[in-house]
Amino acid sequence: MSAPIIAVDAMGGDYGPRCIVPASLDCLSEYPSLHLILVGQASHLERYLDSHQGVDRSRLSIVDAPEVIGMDELPSLALRGKPQSSMRLALEQVRDGRANACVSAGNTGALMALARHVLKTLPGIDRPAMAAAIPTERNPCLLLDLGANVDCTPDNLCQFAIMGSVAAQVLGTAQPRVALLNVGTEDTKGNQLVKQAAVLLQQVEDLNYQGYIEGDGLFRGEADVIVCDGFVGNVLLKSSEGLARMLSRKGEVLFRRSWLSRLQGALAIPLLRELRAELVPSQYNGAGFLGLQGIVVKSHGGAGREDFQAALRNALRDIEQDLPQQLSRRLQPML
Amino acid sequence: MSAPIIAVDAMGGDYGPRCIVPASLDCLSEYPSLHLILVGQASHLERYLDSHQGVDRSRLSIVDAPEVIGMDELPSLALRGKPQSSMRLALEQVRDGRANACVSAGNTGALMALARHVLKTLPGIDRPAMAAAIPTERNPCLLLDLGANVDCTPDNLCQFAIMGSVAAQVLGTAQPRVALLNVGTEDTKGNQLVKQAAVLLQQVEDLNYQGYIEGDGLFRGEADVIVCDGFVGNVLLKSSEGLARMLSRKGEVLFRRSWLSRLQGALAIPLLRELRAELVPSQYNGAGFLGLQGIVVKSHGGAGREDFQAALRNALRDIEQDLPQQLSRRLQPML
């Protein structure tokens, strides 16, 4: 494989270049063959780069993008109104073969609309889905969709399941167990969407479909791929993050309550730090858009420097596996 | 208030009378004025009672119900096919004024269908909602619906919000902040259901409606009442339980890894136990059905002895507050 090149939407997310520029530089140090294209307001980006020592500019270029898409901008406006946005130009780097992947922490809806428009979906796929690995008691589980599609049809869910299964195989799980998220595991349970999707899934050949799974089954590691609509997936993801953060904070308060508890806490700190790394796992940041003719990774909007690096690493992994090409090849007989 | 009487569906849940009978006896000891009616297969229940010493039968009676509704039985069959089920007869105790509340750990769908049929909804309410208090970084938050209504209309969500707001007031929160669960807080975000419900909610008078809230906002305690459809609420609840259990188990493994970690862990055990009580908070078991002409509390199907007691306590609290009467009175001007 030639040296991987990632186009980075340097203006996206809650912190923009302030966080994305240093995260990008860290990643360049970590991967000596990696090239990055920072896309954004060039004068801005140059200023951030100037404040860092010893930047290897032979592996870092800038593409000037005068426009920025706001975090609450309507996808339709982002699509029609801003031809020079950092997000769009970063995606165009991939379309035009100048980059192997695009990473953005910007507005999810706008990224979905622009990615579909600029890169197009794979043959047979109506809508791309956002997928990420979620930690469980056993192996991580690929959960999709995480918010790119808040209104889904049964066909959408069925395509997500097939894409998720193929992606899990490409990323190393043989015969991934695929399940549909529901409020119960019995056949009679579920809303209309899920019941109709289940009928379709039972008919797909070469899919190791296991039936319904409940929210707690996810964290017990009972499936390798779990499918839901983007509204449900997004609520699940964000509420899990919120719960983990709440428990971590409550633990801190508890360990600071008295002299005794401070001593007990101090002794246990190394272990609690490890547990906490599981609680708010920045290594899990970065959800891939599956089903596009190109690699697009969405970072959490509120991602910090380390989190954004994790998203860049995910993009690198997908480049190494040549994910869209593999998806396209293996999807054809299943759709 | 005269002595409170609770009708208990003694056959429901994953463990049935084996768990429900001892939990009921514990509750009778805890509340000296409480009366319980155990509804179920009388010979079965007598056998379980015989194995306990000093049962005060003046406060405990049995109603024989030869039929049991299975955990995966269709609600429509439970409604039409089993006139003598423990669930139905327990609800009829409330309808006929022989009990002030009914508690069941049985099949949610069947309980919903039977409760609507036997007790009827309050005037102006189309469908009852399941609501429970969820622990947050600040005060507990009333979340509804938790799974009784997996396909909702915008009108349903609007009624849930009003009922939730009134219930929170009755239970002690002045001016409860009401929010609609969504994938973002901006106006442009959300699926069709949520967007249409938001339009309705903005028009309700005397409702302290705050707009959209995300999954992490729930655990930060940013609202007192959060509304969602039953599919989303059930996934949120079960995945949170699963995540909390996973973290608790991972913590245990960590603290057992080496001699040093065992020592560190042993010193921190009292604190970790406290944190764990927050992790899997059995005191939060028991979701009330709001919108019925009577009190019905649904316990988790997998509830153990202590969890089921918590559900009985919730029913007692609702009896003390005369919740359905108060709801009915305060709902009228708002609907």
Side-chain angles (χ1 to χ4, degrees):
Chain A
M1 194 184 74
S2 57
I5 308 170
I6 300 175
V8 178
D9 169 11
M11 310 306 284
D14 299 344
Y15 308 114
R18 183 154 53 94
C19 154
I20 293 172
V21 169
S24 300
L25 295 177
D26 290 344
C27 232
L28 282 177
S29 308
E30 191 179 342
Y31 298 97
S33 71
L34 176 67
H35 285 63
L36 293 180
I37 304 172
L38 295 183
V39 186
Q41 290 165 338
S43 58
H44 236 73
L45 298 180
E46 288 291 1
R47 217 174 324 126
Y48 277 102
L49 284 174
D50 282 346
S51 66
H52 292 270
Q53 299 286 313
V55 175
D56 178 0
R57 291 298 289 260
S58 72
R59 294 196 286 128
L60 179 75
S61 53
I62 289 179
V63 165
D64 186 41
E67 294 170 326
V68 175
I69 291 172
M71 290 303 272
D72 55 353
E73 214 153 308
L74 268 182
S76 52
L77 289 181
L79 197 58
R80 274 179 253 121
K82 292 191 172 168
Q84 299 288 309
S85 72
S86 59
M87 190 185 276
R88 185 182 200 124
L89 296 189
L91 289 163
E92 288 180 358
Q93 301 300 309
V94 179
R95 180 196 64 193
D96 300 340
R98 288 194 290 272
N100 308 104
C102 165
V103 176
S104 175
N107 180 331
T108 307
L111 185 61
M112 168 78 169
L114 281 171
R116 279 180 76 189
H117 179 76
V118 172
L119 297 176
K120 313 296 179 207
T121 53
L122 292 171
I125 297 297
D126 296 321
R127 296 181 66 83
M130 253 168 79
I134 307 290
T136 81
E137 288 188 31
R138 298 195 252 166
N139 295 320
C141 168
L142 196 68
L143 181 68
L144 72 171
D145 175 53
L146 293 174
N149 308 279
V150 291
D151 286 298
C152 285
T153 63
D155 268 320
N156 293 147
L157 293 191
C158 188
Q159 291 180 7
F160 297 170
I162 295 171
M163 290 197 291
S165 172
V166 172
Q169 284 173 61
V170 171
L171 299 175
T173 308
Q175 287 271 313
R177 297 161 300 163
V178 178
L180 196 53
L181 192 62
N182 198 356
V183 299
T185 53
E186 303 87 1
D187 277 348
T188 56
K189 295 288 173 73
N191 58 14
Q192 292 306 315
L193 173 65
V194 158
K195 284 181 185 169
Q196 289 168 23
V199 173
L200 297 178
L201 281 167
Q202 278 150 4
Q203 296 159 9
V204 180
E205 285 177 36
D206 289 327
L207 187 74
N208 184 12
Y209 174 62
Q210 309 265 310
Y212 296 140
I213 195 168
E214 295 179 80
D216 47 347
L218 161 65
F219 288 106
R220 276 198 299 271
E222 289 172 0
D224 302 302
V225 175
I226 296 183
V227 176
C228 57
D229 75 56
F231 191 94
V232 171
N234 190 275
V235 166
L236 194 166
L237 189 71
K238 286 185 182 154
S239 60
S240 297
E241 287 167 357
L243 173 60
R245 211 171 294 125
M246 174 186 93
L247 293 172
S248 163
R249 288 202 192 132
K250 283 196 187 241
E252 274 172 30
V253 170
L254 213 58
F255 277 88
R256 278 206 209 111
R257 201 178 40 193
S258 68
W259 273 106
L260 178 62
S261 68
R262 263 180 237 167
L263 179 65
Q264 291 167 325
L267 288 166
I269 274 177
L271 295 180
L272 290 174
R273 256 197 212 130
E274 268 189 69
L275 188 59
R276 204 182 170 177
E278 306 247 20
L279 283 164
V280 187
S282 43
Q283 75 266 29
Y284 289 99
N285 183 46
F289 274 82
L290 296 181
L292 290 168
Q293 298 187 29
I295 297 167
V296 178
V297 172
K298 164 78 175 81
S299 160
H300 199 302
R305 184 166 167 172
E306 283 180 45
D307 308 308
F308 196 81
Q309 262 185 276
L312 288 169
R313 264 184 231 116
N314 278 350
L316 254 179
R317 182 203 57 196
D318 292 351
I319 294 173
E320 277 164 17
Q321 302 297 336
D322 198 2
L323 190 58
Q325 195 61 36
Q326 293 249 35
L327 263 173
S328 175
R329 194 171 55 78
R330 301 199 200 189
L331 280 176
Q332 289 327 306
M334 297 176 78
L335 285 169
Chain B
M1 193 184 73
S2 58
I5 308 170
I6 299 175
V8 177
D9 169 11
M11 310 306 284
D14 299 342
Y15 308 114
R18 181 156 55 94
C19 155
I20 293 173
V21 168
S24 298
L25 295 177
D26 290 344
C27 231
L28 282 176
S29 309
E30 191 181 343
Y31 298 98
S33 71
L34 176 65
H35 285 64
L36 293 180
I37 304 172
L38 296 183
V39 186
Q41 289 165 340
S43 58
H44 235 75
L45 298 180
E46 287 292 0
R47 216 173 326 125
Y48 276 103
L49 284 173
D50 282 347
S51 65
H52 292 271
Q53 301 286 313
V55 176
D56 179 0
R57 292 297 290 259
S58 73
R59 296 195 286 128
L60 180 75
S61 52
I62 288 179
V63 165
D64 186 40
E67 293 169 327
V68 175
I69 292 172
M71 290 304 271
D72 56 353
E73 213 154 308
L74 268 181
S76 52
L77 290 181
L79 197 58
R80 275 179 254 122
K82 293 193 173 168
Q84 300 288 309
S85 72
S86 60
M87 192 185 275
R88 186 182 198 123
L89 296 188
L91 290 163
E92 287 180 359
Q93 301 299 310
V94 179
R95 180 195 65 192
D96 300 341
R98 287 194 291 274
N100 308 104
C102 165
V103 176
S104 175
N107 181 329
T108 307
L111 185 61
M112 169 79 169
L114 281 169
R116 281 179 75 188
H117 179 76
V118 172
L119 296 175
K120 312 298 179 207
T121 54
L122 292 170
I125 297 298
D126 297 319
R127 295 181 66 84
M130 252 168 80
I134 308 290
T136 81
E137 288 189 31
R138 298 195 251 167
N139 295 320
C141 168
L142 197 68
L143 181 66
L144 71 170
D145 176 53
L146 293 174
N149 308 278
V150 291
D151 286 297
C152 285
T153 64
D155 267 320
N156 292 148
L157 293 191
C158 188
Q159 290 180 9
F160 297 170
I162 295 171
M163 290 197 292
S165 172
V166 171
Q169 285 172 60
V170 170
L171 301 174
T173 308
Q175 288 271 311
R177 296 160 301 163
V178 177
L180 197 52
L181 191 61
N182 199 356
V183 298
T185 54
E186 302 89 359
D187 278 348
T188 56
K189 295 288 174 73
N191 58 14
Q192 292 306 315
L193 173 65
V194 158
K195 284 182 184 170
Q196 290 168 22
V199 173
L200 297 177
L201 281 166
Q202 278 151 3
Q203 295 160 10
V204 180
E205 284 178 36
D206 290 328
L207 186 75
N208 184 13
Y209 175 61
Q210 309 265 311
Y212 295 141
I213 194 167
E214 294 179 79
D216 47 347
L218 160 65
F219 288 105
R220 276 198 300 270
E222 288 172 1
D224 302 304
V225 176
I226 295 182
V227 176
C228 58
D229 74 57
F231 191 94
V232 172
N234 190 275
V235 166
L236 194 165
L237 190 71
K238 286 184 184 155
S239 60
S240 298
E241 287 167 358
L243 173 60
R245 211 171 294 124
M246 174 185 93
L247 293 173
S248 163
R249 287 200 191 133
K250 283 195 187 241
E252 274 172 29
V253 171
L254 213 57
F255 278 89
R256 278 205 209 111
R257 201 178 38 192
S258 68
W259 274 105
L260 178 62
S261 67
R262 264 180 235 167
L263 178 66
Q264 291 168 325
L267 288 167
I269 274 178
L271 295 181
L272 290 174
R273 253 190 216 137
E274 266 189 70
L275 187 59
R276 204 180 171 178
E278 305 247 19
L279 283 166
V280 187
S282 43
Q283 74 266 30
Y284 289 100
N285 183 46
F289 274 82
L290 296 181
L292 290 168
Q293 297 187 30
I295 297 167
V296 178
V297 171
K298 165 78 175 78
S299 160
H300 200 301
R305 184 166 169 170
E306 282 180 46
D307 308 309
F308 197 82
Q309 262 184 279
L312 288 169
R313 265 185 229 116
N314 277 351
L316 254 179
R317 182 203 58 195
D318 292 351
I319 294 172
E320 276 164 18
Q321 302 297 336
D322 199 3
L323 190 58
Q325 197 60 38
Q326 292 248 37
L327 262 173
S328 175
R329 194 171 56 78
R330 300 198 201 189
L331 280 176
Q332 290 325 308
M334 297 176 77
L335 285 169

